mmCIF file of all heavy atoms in Angstrom:
data_model
loop_
_atom_site.group_PDB
_atom_site.id
_atom_site.type_symbol
_atom_site.label_atom_id
_atom_site.label_comp_id
_atom_site.label_asym_id
_atom_site.label_seq_id
_atom_site.Cartn_x
_atom_site.Cartn_y
_atom_site.Cartn_z
ATOM 1 N N LEU A 257 -8.663 46.018 -35.316
ATOM 2 C CA LEU A 257 -9.904 45.304 -35.625
ATOM 3 C C LEU A 257 -11.098 46.235 -35.733
ATOM 4 O O LEU A 257 -12.178 45.843 -36.268
ATOM 5 C CB LEU A 257 -10.198 44.247 -34.565
ATOM 6 C CG LEU A 257 -9.165 43.105 -34.449
ATOM 7 C CD1 LEU A 257 -9.551 42.156 -33.294
ATOM 8 C CD2 LEU A 257 -9.035 42.347 -35.739
ATOM 9 N N VAL A 258 -10.998 47.465 -35.231
ATOM 10 C CA VAL A 258 -12.051 48.442 -35.231
ATOM 11 C C VAL A 258 -11.485 49.778 -35.741
ATOM 12 O O VAL A 258 -10.321 50.097 -35.524
ATOM 13 C CB VAL A 258 -12.636 48.622 -33.800
ATOM 14 C CG1 VAL A 258 -13.514 49.839 -33.702
ATOM 15 C CG2 VAL A 258 -13.417 47.368 -33.388
ATOM 16 N N ASP A 259 -12.364 50.538 -36.423
ATOM 17 C CA ASP A 259 -11.931 51.810 -37.007
ATOM 18 C C ASP A 259 -12.278 53.018 -36.135
ATOM 19 O O ASP A 259 -11.466 53.953 -36.013
ATOM 20 C CB ASP A 259 -12.582 52.016 -38.373
ATOM 21 C CG ASP A 259 -12.148 50.985 -39.398
ATOM 22 O OD1 ASP A 259 -10.945 50.952 -39.703
ATOM 23 O OD2 ASP A 259 -12.987 50.169 -39.842
ATOM 24 N N GLN A 260 -13.511 53.025 -35.571
ATOM 25 C CA GLN A 260 -13.987 54.210 -34.864
ATOM 26 C C GLN A 260 -14.697 53.765 -33.566
ATOM 27 O O GLN A 260 -15.283 52.700 -33.516
ATOM 28 C CB GLN A 260 -14.996 54.990 -35.716
ATOM 29 C CG GLN A 260 -14.452 55.505 -37.043
ATOM 30 C CD GLN A 260 -13.460 56.637 -36.896
ATOM 31 O OE1 GLN A 260 -13.380 57.280 -35.848
ATOM 32 N NE2 GLN A 260 -12.674 56.857 -37.922
ATOM 33 N N MET A 261 -14.612 54.647 -32.549
ATOM 34 C CA MET A 261 -15.397 54.444 -31.360
ATOM 35 C C MET A 261 -16.694 55.206 -31.463
ATOM 36 O O MET A 261 -16.725 56.362 -31.873
ATOM 37 C CB MET A 261 -14.594 54.940 -30.134
ATOM 38 C CG MET A 261 -13.259 54.250 -29.933
ATOM 39 S SD MET A 261 -13.400 52.460 -29.723
ATOM 40 C CE MET A 261 -14.276 52.397 -28.144
ATOM 41 N N GLY A 262 -17.800 54.521 -31.139
ATOM 42 C CA GLY A 262 -19.094 55.158 -31.229
ATOM 43 C C GLY A 262 -20.209 54.132 -31.201
ATOM 44 O O GLY A 262 -19.977 52.915 -31.143
ATOM 45 N N TYR A 263 -21.420 54.628 -31.232
ATOM 46 C CA TYR A 263 -22.606 53.805 -31.171
ATOM 47 C C TYR A 263 -23.317 53.784 -32.507
ATOM 48 O O TYR A 263 -22.843 54.351 -33.487
ATOM 49 C CB TYR A 263 -23.518 54.303 -30.062
ATOM 50 C CG TYR A 263 -22.895 54.204 -28.670
ATOM 51 C CD1 TYR A 263 -22.156 55.272 -28.157
ATOM 52 C CD2 TYR A 263 -23.029 53.062 -27.895
ATOM 53 C CE1 TYR A 263 -21.565 55.187 -26.911
ATOM 54 C CE2 TYR A 263 -22.456 52.967 -26.645
ATOM 55 C CZ TYR A 263 -21.727 54.017 -26.159
ATOM 56 O OH TYR A 263 -21.125 53.935 -24.905
ATOM 57 N N LEU A 264 -24.468 53.145 -32.540
ATOM 58 C CA LEU A 264 -25.205 52.981 -33.790
ATOM 59 C C LEU A 264 -25.511 54.322 -34.432
ATOM 60 O O LEU A 264 -25.342 54.479 -35.667
ATOM 61 C CB LEU A 264 -26.500 52.197 -33.533
ATOM 62 C CG LEU A 264 -27.343 51.864 -34.765
ATOM 63 C CD1 LEU A 264 -26.652 50.878 -35.672
ATOM 64 C CD2 LEU A 264 -28.710 51.294 -34.326
ATOM 65 N N GLU A 265 -25.964 55.284 -33.659
ATOM 66 C CA GLU A 265 -26.314 56.572 -34.218
ATOM 67 C C GLU A 265 -25.068 57.275 -34.822
ATOM 68 O O GLU A 265 -25.185 58.002 -35.814
ATOM 69 C CB GLU A 265 -26.981 57.485 -33.171
ATOM 70 C CG GLU A 265 -26.196 57.729 -31.932
ATOM 71 C CD GLU A 265 -26.466 56.734 -30.815
ATOM 72 O OE1 GLU A 265 -26.872 55.609 -31.115
ATOM 73 O OE2 GLU A 265 -26.255 57.128 -29.640
ATOM 74 N N ASP A 266 -23.905 57.046 -34.203
ATOM 75 C CA ASP A 266 -22.672 57.645 -34.734
ATOM 76 C C ASP A 266 -22.318 57.002 -36.084
ATOM 77 O O ASP A 266 -21.917 57.725 -37.036
ATOM 78 C CB ASP A 266 -21.532 57.449 -33.749
ATOM 79 C CG ASP A 266 -21.806 58.056 -32.395
ATOM 80 O OD1 ASP A 266 -22.201 59.265 -32.359
ATOM 81 O OD2 ASP A 266 -21.651 57.374 -31.367
ATOM 82 N N ALA A 267 -22.431 55.710 -36.135
ATOM 83 C CA ALA A 267 -22.157 55.019 -37.410
ATOM 84 C C ALA A 267 -23.122 55.450 -38.502
ATOM 85 O O ALA A 267 -22.739 55.638 -39.661
ATOM 86 C CB ALA A 267 -22.210 53.510 -37.202
ATOM 87 N N LEU A 268 -24.395 55.582 -38.140
ATOM 88 C CA LEU A 268 -25.399 56.019 -39.139
ATOM 89 C C LEU A 268 -25.127 57.415 -39.628
ATOM 90 O O LEU A 268 -25.218 57.692 -40.816
ATOM 91 C CB LEU A 268 -26.794 55.916 -38.516
ATOM 92 C CG LEU A 268 -27.958 56.351 -39.407
ATOM 93 C CD1 LEU A 268 -27.986 55.517 -40.706
ATOM 94 C CD2 LEU A 268 -29.284 56.246 -38.666
ATOM 95 N N ALA A 269 -24.792 58.317 -38.720
ATOM 96 C CA ALA A 269 -24.499 59.699 -39.127
ATOM 97 C C ALA A 269 -23.304 59.736 -40.087
ATOM 98 O O ALA A 269 -23.306 60.473 -41.070
ATOM 99 C CB ALA A 269 -24.199 60.552 -37.880
ATOM 100 N N SER A 270 -22.292 58.945 -39.785
ATOM 101 C CA SER A 270 -21.124 58.896 -40.662
ATOM 102 C C SER A 270 -21.454 58.299 -42.019
ATOM 103 O O SER A 270 -20.963 58.791 -43.055
ATOM 104 C CB SER A 270 -20.008 58.101 -39.994
ATOM 105 O OG SER A 270 -18.859 58.021 -40.822
ATOM 106 N N LEU A 271 -22.260 57.257 -42.034
ATOM 107 C CA LEU A 271 -22.641 56.617 -43.287
ATOM 108 C C LEU A 271 -23.490 57.557 -44.142
ATOM 109 O O LEU A 271 -23.332 57.616 -45.357
ATOM 110 C CB LEU A 271 -23.395 55.309 -43.016
ATOM 111 C CG LEU A 271 -23.805 54.491 -44.242
ATOM 112 C CD1 LEU A 271 -22.590 54.185 -45.135
ATOM 113 C CD2 LEU A 271 -24.481 53.189 -43.797
ATOM 114 N N LYS A 272 -24.371 58.315 -43.486
ATOM 115 C CA LYS A 272 -25.163 59.326 -44.227
ATOM 116 C C LYS A 272 -24.245 60.327 -44.921
ATOM 117 O O LYS A 272 -24.473 60.699 -46.084
ATOM 118 C CB LYS A 272 -26.100 60.070 -43.262
ATOM 119 C CG LYS A 272 -27.323 59.293 -42.815
ATOM 120 C CD LYS A 272 -28.137 60.182 -41.880
ATOM 121 C CE LYS A 272 -29.380 59.521 -41.367
ATOM 122 N NZ LYS A 272 -30.143 60.386 -40.438
ATOM 123 N N GLU A 273 -23.270 60.776 -44.182
ATOM 124 C CA GLU A 273 -22.304 61.747 -44.747
ATOM 125 C C GLU A 273 -21.552 61.134 -45.927
ATOM 126 O O GLU A 273 -21.308 61.803 -46.920
ATOM 127 C CB GLU A 273 -21.328 62.204 -43.673
ATOM 128 C CG GLU A 273 -20.393 63.300 -44.098
ATOM 129 C CD GLU A 273 -19.486 63.772 -42.962
ATOM 130 O OE1 GLU A 273 -19.776 63.448 -41.795
ATOM 131 O OE2 GLU A 273 -18.490 64.493 -43.249
ATOM 132 N N ASN A 274 -21.216 59.852 -45.797
ATOM 133 C CA ASN A 274 -20.497 59.154 -46.865
ATOM 134 C C ASN A 274 -21.376 59.036 -48.103
ATOM 135 O O ASN A 274 -20.908 59.261 -49.228
ATOM 136 C CB ASN A 274 -20.054 57.775 -46.388
ATOM 137 C CG ASN A 274 -19.224 57.048 -47.396
ATOM 138 O OD1 ASN A 274 -19.710 56.635 -48.451
ATOM 139 N ND2 ASN A 274 -17.936 56.839 -47.060
ATOM 140 N N VAL A 275 -22.642 58.676 -47.901
ATOM 141 C CA VAL A 275 -23.571 58.509 -49.026
ATOM 142 C C VAL A 275 -23.893 59.854 -49.665
ATOM 143 O O VAL A 275 -24.031 60.001 -50.883
ATOM 144 C CB VAL A 275 -24.857 57.775 -48.539
ATOM 145 C CG1 VAL A 275 -25.928 57.835 -49.640
ATOM 146 C CG2 VAL A 275 -24.533 56.334 -48.178
ATOM 147 N N GLY A 276 -24.046 60.878 -48.821
ATOM 148 C CA GLY A 276 -24.358 62.235 -49.305
ATOM 149 C C GLY A 276 -25.840 62.465 -49.476
ATOM 150 O O GLY A 276 -26.651 61.545 -49.549
ATOM 151 N N GLY A 277 -26.205 63.771 -49.536
ATOM 152 C CA GLY A 277 -27.619 64.125 -49.723
ATOM 153 C C GLY A 277 -28.430 63.844 -48.464
ATOM 154 O O GLY A 277 -27.938 63.978 -47.350
ATOM 155 N N ASN A 278 -29.672 63.494 -48.700
ATOM 156 C CA ASN A 278 -30.609 63.215 -47.595
ATOM 157 C C ASN A 278 -31.185 61.832 -47.809
ATOM 158 O O ASN A 278 -32.367 61.672 -48.185
ATOM 159 C CB ASN A 278 -31.703 64.269 -47.569
ATOM 160 C CG ASN A 278 -32.704 64.049 -46.405
ATOM 161 O OD1 ASN A 278 -32.327 63.561 -45.358
ATOM 162 N ND2 ASN A 278 -33.954 64.375 -46.647
ATOM 163 N N PRO A 279 -30.432 60.791 -47.547
ATOM 164 C CA PRO A 279 -30.898 59.444 -47.842
ATOM 165 C C PRO A 279 -32.043 58.972 -46.924
ATOM 166 O O PRO A 279 -32.083 59.301 -45.764
ATOM 167 C CB PRO A 279 -29.640 58.573 -47.594
ATOM 168 C CG PRO A 279 -28.841 59.342 -46.607
ATOM 169 C CD PRO A 279 -29.077 60.782 -46.929
ATOM 170 N N GLU A 280 -32.961 58.245 -47.529
ATOM 171 C CA GLU A 280 -34.001 57.566 -46.721
ATOM 172 C C GLU A 280 -33.353 56.394 -46.030
ATOM 173 O O GLU A 280 -32.497 55.710 -46.565
ATOM 174 C CB GLU A 280 -35.110 57.081 -47.655
ATOM 175 C CG GLU A 280 -36.250 56.360 -46.940
ATOM 176 C CD GLU A 280 -37.304 55.855 -47.902
ATOM 177 O OE1 GLU A 280 -37.075 54.803 -48.528
ATOM 178 O OE2 GLU A 280 -38.346 56.517 -48.028
ATOM 179 N N VAL A 281 -33.758 56.178 -44.771
ATOM 180 C CA VAL A 281 -33.214 55.083 -43.984
ATOM 181 C C VAL A 281 -34.304 54.041 -43.767
ATOM 182 O O VAL A 281 -35.365 54.357 -43.250
ATOM 183 C CB VAL A 281 -32.658 55.555 -42.629
ATOM 184 C CG1 VAL A 281 -32.074 54.393 -41.852
ATOM 185 C CG2 VAL A 281 -31.608 56.634 -42.826
ATOM 186 N N ILE A 282 -34.016 52.826 -44.188
ATOM 187 C CA ILE A 282 -34.968 51.735 -43.994
ATOM 188 C C ILE A 282 -34.340 50.691 -43.109
ATOM 189 O O ILE A 282 -33.113 50.661 -42.932
ATOM 190 C CB ILE A 282 -35.403 51.066 -45.317
ATOM 191 C CG1 ILE A 282 -34.218 50.392 -46.020
ATOM 192 C CG2 ILE A 282 -36.039 52.103 -46.227
ATOM 193 C CD1 ILE A 282 -34.594 49.554 -47.219
ATOM 194 N N GLU A 283 -35.158 49.858 -42.500
ATOM 195 C CA GLU A 283 -34.655 48.798 -41.629
ATOM 196 C C GLU A 283 -35.375 47.492 -42.002
ATOM 197 O O GLU A 283 -36.581 47.489 -42.201
ATOM 198 C CB GLU A 283 -34.895 49.121 -40.164
ATOM 199 C CG GLU A 283 -34.359 48.072 -39.200
ATOM 200 C CD GLU A 283 -34.511 48.502 -37.750
ATOM 201 O OE1 GLU A 283 -34.757 49.692 -37.491
ATOM 202 O OE2 GLU A 283 -34.360 47.612 -36.874
ATOM 203 N N TYR A 284 -34.593 46.458 -42.113
ATOM 204 C CA TYR A 284 -35.161 45.111 -42.403
ATOM 205 C C TYR A 284 -35.515 44.444 -41.084
ATOM 206 O O TYR A 284 -34.759 44.477 -40.118
ATOM 207 C CB TYR A 284 -34.190 44.284 -43.196
ATOM 208 C CG TYR A 284 -34.099 44.634 -44.644
ATOM 209 C CD1 TYR A 284 -33.160 45.509 -45.112
ATOM 210 C CD2 TYR A 284 -35.061 44.117 -45.553
ATOM 211 C CE1 TYR A 284 -33.118 45.857 -46.465
ATOM 212 C CE2 TYR A 284 -34.995 44.452 -46.878
ATOM 213 C CZ TYR A 284 -34.024 45.321 -47.351
ATOM 214 O OH TYR A 284 -34.000 45.676 -48.671
ATOM 215 N N GLY A 285 -36.666 43.789 -41.074
ATOM 216 C CA GLY A 285 -37.154 43.130 -39.879
ATOM 217 C C GLY A 285 -38.631 43.355 -39.717
ATOM 218 O O GLY A 285 -39.271 44.055 -40.489
ATOM 219 N N ARG A 286 -39.186 42.757 -38.680
ATOM 220 C CA ARG A 286 -40.615 42.877 -38.424
ATOM 221 C C ARG A 286 -40.814 43.933 -37.347
ATOM 222 O O ARG A 286 -40.846 43.634 -36.155
ATOM 223 C CB ARG A 286 -41.226 41.518 -37.980
ATOM 224 C CG ARG A 286 -41.022 40.464 -39.061
ATOM 225 C CD ARG A 286 -41.756 39.169 -38.702
ATOM 226 N NE ARG A 286 -41.467 38.149 -39.683
ATOM 227 C CZ ARG A 286 -42.087 38.002 -40.843
ATOM 228 N NH1 ARG A 286 -43.025 38.859 -41.154
ATOM 229 N NH2 ARG A 286 -41.757 37.045 -41.692
ATOM 230 N N GLY A 287 -40.921 45.180 -37.763
ATOM 231 C CA GLY A 287 -41.017 46.270 -36.838
ATOM 232 C C GLY A 287 -42.259 46.191 -35.929
ATOM 233 O O GLY A 287 -43.337 45.989 -36.408
ATOM 234 N N GLY A 288 -42.039 46.341 -34.628
ATOM 235 C CA GLY A 288 -43.161 46.362 -33.693
ATOM 236 C C GLY A 288 -43.732 45.021 -33.384
ATOM 237 O O GLY A 288 -44.698 44.904 -32.623
ATOM 238 N N ASN A 289 -43.214 43.966 -33.946
ATOM 239 C CA ASN A 289 -43.793 42.626 -33.751
ATOM 240 C C ASN A 289 -42.990 41.913 -32.658
ATOM 241 O O ASN A 289 -42.144 41.112 -32.944
ATOM 242 C CB ASN A 289 -43.786 41.856 -35.060
ATOM 243 C CG ASN A 289 -44.562 40.576 -34.980
ATOM 244 O OD1 ASN A 289 -45.347 40.375 -34.057
ATOM 245 N ND2 ASN A 289 -44.346 39.704 -35.951
ATOM 246 N N ASN A 290 -43.320 42.227 -31.407
ATOM 247 C CA ASN A 290 -42.503 41.752 -30.297
ATOM 248 C C ASN A 290 -43.239 40.748 -29.422
ATOM 249 O O ASN A 290 -43.039 40.718 -28.200
ATOM 250 C CB ASN A 290 -42.028 42.932 -29.437
ATOM 251 C CG ASN A 290 -41.153 43.874 -30.200
ATOM 252 O OD1 ASN A 290 -40.265 43.425 -30.940
ATOM 253 N ND2 ASN A 290 -41.366 45.178 -30.065
ATOM 254 N N GLN A 291 -44.118 39.956 -30.026
ATOM 255 C CA GLN A 291 -44.885 39.001 -29.196
ATOM 256 C C GLN A 291 -43.990 37.956 -28.575
ATOM 257 O O GLN A 291 -42.962 37.605 -29.109
ATOM 258 C CB GLN A 291 -45.983 38.348 -30.031
ATOM 259 C CG GLN A 291 -45.525 37.395 -31.104
ATOM 260 C CD GLN A 291 -45.306 38.101 -32.422
ATOM 261 O OE1 GLN A 291 -45.038 39.280 -32.456
ATOM 262 N NE2 GLN A 291 -45.455 37.334 -33.497
ATOM 263 N N ILE A 292 -44.426 37.447 -27.415
ATOM 264 C CA ILE A 292 -43.678 36.411 -26.685
ATOM 265 C C ILE A 292 -44.050 35.043 -27.214
ATOM 266 O O ILE A 292 -45.216 34.784 -27.541
ATOM 267 C CB ILE A 292 -43.979 36.503 -25.199
ATOM 268 C CG1 ILE A 292 -43.589 37.887 -24.653
ATOM 269 C CG2 ILE A 292 -43.288 35.423 -24.418
ATOM 270 C CD1 ILE A 292 -44.022 38.117 -23.230
ATOM 271 N N SER A 293 -43.081 34.180 -27.288
ATOM 272 C CA SER A 293 -43.330 32.821 -27.753
ATOM 273 C C SER A 293 -43.948 32.022 -26.603
ATOM 274 O O SER A 293 -43.264 31.396 -25.810
ATOM 275 C CB SER A 293 -42.041 32.145 -28.241
ATOM 276 O OG SER A 293 -42.271 30.820 -28.570
ATOM 277 N N PHE A 294 -45.291 32.028 -26.516
ATOM 278 C CA PHE A 294 -45.976 31.347 -25.443
ATOM 279 C C PHE A 294 -45.865 29.842 -25.597
ATOM 280 O O PHE A 294 -45.905 29.099 -24.602
ATOM 281 C CB PHE A 294 -47.457 31.769 -25.383
ATOM 282 C CG PHE A 294 -47.643 33.110 -24.734
ATOM 283 C CD1 PHE A 294 -47.612 34.255 -25.486
ATOM 284 C CD2 PHE A 294 -47.835 33.191 -23.356
ATOM 285 C CE1 PHE A 294 -47.786 35.475 -24.867
ATOM 286 C CE2 PHE A 294 -48.016 34.428 -22.758
ATOM 287 C CZ PHE A 294 -47.980 35.590 -23.508
ATOM 288 N N SER A 295 -45.762 29.362 -26.821
ATOM 289 C CA SER A 295 -45.631 27.919 -26.998
ATOM 290 C C SER A 295 -44.327 27.428 -26.374
ATOM 291 O O SER A 295 -44.289 26.362 -25.767
ATOM 292 C CB SER A 295 -45.644 27.582 -28.499
ATOM 293 O OG SER A 295 -44.613 28.241 -29.199
ATOM 294 N N TYR A 296 -43.253 28.236 -26.497
ATOM 295 C CA TYR A 296 -41.973 27.870 -25.860
ATOM 296 C C TYR A 296 -42.110 27.908 -24.352
ATOM 297 O O TYR A 296 -41.617 27.023 -23.658
ATOM 298 C CB TYR A 296 -40.873 28.824 -26.327
ATOM 299 C CG TYR A 296 -39.553 28.621 -25.639
ATOM 300 C CD1 TYR A 296 -38.715 27.582 -26.039
ATOM 301 C CD2 TYR A 296 -39.192 29.399 -24.552
ATOM 302 C CE1 TYR A 296 -37.504 27.363 -25.351
ATOM 303 C CE2 TYR A 296 -38.014 29.181 -23.909
ATOM 304 C CZ TYR A 296 -37.150 28.174 -24.329
ATOM 305 O OH TYR A 296 -35.975 27.945 -23.666
ATOM 306 N N LYS A 297 -42.786 28.931 -23.818
ATOM 307 C CA LYS A 297 -42.945 29.060 -22.388
ATOM 308 C C LYS A 297 -43.784 27.910 -21.825
ATOM 309 O O LYS A 297 -43.550 27.413 -20.749
ATOM 310 C CB LYS A 297 -43.551 30.393 -22.019
ATOM 311 C CG LYS A 297 -42.596 31.559 -22.224
ATOM 312 C CD LYS A 297 -43.163 32.839 -21.684
ATOM 313 C CE LYS A 297 -42.140 33.972 -21.775
ATOM 314 N NZ LYS A 297 -40.989 33.739 -20.924
ATOM 315 N N ALA A 298 -44.803 27.500 -22.623
ATOM 316 C CA ALA A 298 -45.618 26.392 -22.194
ATOM 317 C C ALA A 298 -44.793 25.103 -22.081
ATOM 318 O O ALA A 298 -44.919 24.352 -21.149
ATOM 319 C CB ALA A 298 -46.786 26.187 -23.179
ATOM 320 N N LYS A 299 -43.925 24.885 -23.097
ATOM 321 C CA LYS A 299 -43.062 23.695 -23.053
ATOM 322 C C LYS A 299 -42.121 23.752 -21.876
ATOM 323 O O LYS A 299 -41.937 22.746 -21.184
ATOM 324 C CB LYS A 299 -42.274 23.640 -24.381
ATOM 325 C CG LYS A 299 -41.352 22.433 -24.455
ATOM 326 C CD LYS A 299 -40.596 22.421 -25.767
ATOM 327 C CE LYS A 299 -39.646 21.236 -25.848
ATOM 328 N NZ LYS A 299 -38.844 21.267 -27.091
ATOM 329 N N SER A 300 -41.584 24.927 -21.610
ATOM 330 C CA SER A 300 -40.662 25.053 -20.457
ATOM 331 C C SER A 300 -41.397 24.820 -19.157
ATOM 332 O O SER A 300 -40.862 24.220 -18.219
ATOM 333 C CB SER A 300 -40.038 26.463 -20.472
ATOM 334 O OG SER A 300 -39.286 26.652 -21.609
ATOM 335 N N PHE A 301 -42.653 25.272 -19.108
ATOM 336 C CA PHE A 301 -43.446 25.103 -17.907
ATOM 337 C C PHE A 301 -43.690 23.612 -17.622
ATOM 338 O O PHE A 301 -43.577 23.147 -16.495
ATOM 339 C CB PHE A 301 -44.800 25.821 -18.045
ATOM 340 C CG PHE A 301 -45.768 25.551 -16.922
ATOM 341 C CD1 PHE A 301 -45.682 26.197 -15.716
ATOM 342 C CD2 PHE A 301 -46.760 24.599 -17.117
ATOM 343 C CE1 PHE A 301 -46.559 25.930 -14.702
ATOM 344 C CE2 PHE A 301 -47.680 24.335 -16.085
ATOM 345 C CZ PHE A 301 -47.571 24.995 -14.872
ATOM 346 N N ILE A 302 -44.052 22.870 -18.678
ATOM 347 C CA ILE A 302 -44.335 21.463 -18.515
ATOM 348 C C ILE A 302 -43.072 20.701 -18.070
ATOM 349 O O ILE A 302 -43.088 19.867 -17.187
ATOM 350 C CB ILE A 302 -44.908 20.865 -19.813
ATOM 351 C CG1 ILE A 302 -46.293 21.459 -20.076
ATOM 352 C CG2 ILE A 302 -45.007 19.347 -19.741
ATOM 353 C CD1 ILE A 302 -46.862 21.103 -21.409
ATOM 354 N N ASN A 303 -41.943 21.061 -18.719
ATOM 355 C CA ASN A 303 -40.693 20.389 -18.337
ATOM 356 C C ASN A 303 -40.336 20.671 -16.876
ATOM 357 O O ASN A 303 -39.870 19.798 -16.146
ATOM 358 C CB ASN A 303 -39.548 20.832 -19.226
ATOM 359 C CG ASN A 303 -39.667 20.256 -20.634
ATOM 360 O OD1 ASN A 303 -40.339 19.253 -20.841
ATOM 361 N ND2 ASN A 303 -39.004 20.891 -21.589
ATOM 362 N N GLY A 304 -40.577 21.914 -16.464
ATOM 363 C CA GLY A 304 -40.292 22.267 -15.092
ATOM 364 C C GLY A 304 -41.209 21.595 -14.117
ATOM 365 O O GLY A 304 -40.837 21.289 -12.978
ATOM 366 N N LEU A 305 -42.471 21.341 -14.519
ATOM 367 C CA LEU A 305 -43.442 20.749 -13.654
ATOM 368 C C LEU A 305 -43.112 19.283 -13.379
ATOM 369 O O LEU A 305 -43.178 18.800 -12.259
ATOM 370 C CB LEU A 305 -44.844 20.857 -14.276
ATOM 371 C CG LEU A 305 -46.016 20.312 -13.450
ATOM 372 C CD1 LEU A 305 -46.135 21.072 -12.127
ATOM 373 C CD2 LEU A 305 -47.305 20.365 -14.233
ATOM 374 N N PHE A 306 -42.786 18.547 -14.419
ATOM 375 C CA PHE A 306 -42.553 17.125 -14.281
ATOM 376 C C PHE A 306 -41.091 16.744 -14.080
ATOM 377 O O PHE A 306 -40.774 15.727 -13.528
ATOM 378 C CB PHE A 306 -43.138 16.375 -15.504
ATOM 379 C CG PHE A 306 -44.631 16.535 -15.607
ATOM 380 C CD1 PHE A 306 -45.167 17.270 -16.641
ATOM 381 C CD2 PHE A 306 -45.461 15.956 -14.673
ATOM 382 C CE1 PHE A 306 -46.528 17.442 -16.737
ATOM 383 C CE2 PHE A 306 -46.835 16.094 -14.779
ATOM 384 C CZ PHE A 306 -47.382 16.851 -15.815
#
Side-chain angles (χ1 to χ4, degrees):
L257 297 177
V258 167
D259 296 296
Q260 302 288 342
M261 301 301 294
Y263 296 90
L264 183 66
E265 58 268 25
D266 301 309
L268 179 57
S270 179
L271 183 54
K272 284 181 181 179
E273 185 176 347
N274 185 292
V275 170
N278 181 33
E280 179 182 79
V281 181
I282 65 171
E283 182 175 345
Y284 283 95
R286 301 186 184 277
N289 189 15
N290 297 317
Q291 68 269 27
I292 300 173
S293 177
F294 281 89
S295 59
Y296 174 80
K297 289 188 175 294
K299 180 180 178 182
S300 299
F301 172 81
I302 293 172
N303 287 340
L305 182 63
F306 297 111

